[in-house]
Amino acid sequence: MRTTSLSGLAGFATVLGLLAGAAPAGAATTAAADLAIQLPDRGSLLADGAGVSVTVTFRCDAGQSYNMFVELSQTVLDGRTASGTGFVGPGTCTGSSQTEDLLLLAAGGYYAFRTGDAVARASVSVCPNQQICSQAMDSGVLELRESFAD
């Protein structure tokens, strides 16, 4: 599993506070304790490569609001790349494993995506108290196919 969880600004704020000689604020301990994201192994090509559909699995503490961002890049012709981004949010965390379907439109140099491997990066962030945010990230290679059928 490629999932990597980061405590984002919460850990950074705590370290800065300790370096400055201050005790960590109680708010720093309210950062998301159960935050994770995982990219799928595959994405689905849409409209002859004009876009890609990616279903991302994630988890965050119940009741928190989340935002998710996914980037995709693929070499398609003579070193040229197709790339796209997708965003969803705000949404509400259930505390259990959830999925979001993101649509990434081909935009880099206006080249279409094609069947084959592409590099992706996904992040989900929550800000439980609007001052301290947490983020989880995942990145890796996805196989782009015409459909999710095996």
Side-chain angles (χ1 to χ4, degrees), residues 58-80:
F58 67 103
R59 183 182 61 250
C60 46
D61 291 336
Q64 292 183 344
S65 179
Y66 68 86
N67 290 296
M68 185 180 300
F69 184 75
V70 176
E71 300 171 276
L72 185 69
S73 185
Q74 181 185 47
T75 301
V76 291
L77 178 66
D78 297 328
R80 295 184 174 112

Side-chain angles (χ1 to χ4, degrees), residues 86-108:
F87 175 82
V88 65
T92 302
C93 303
T94 65
S96 299
S97 183
Q98 295 173 247
T99 60
E100 281 284 358
D101 295 319
L102 287 94
L103 171 62
L104 294 82
L105 300 177

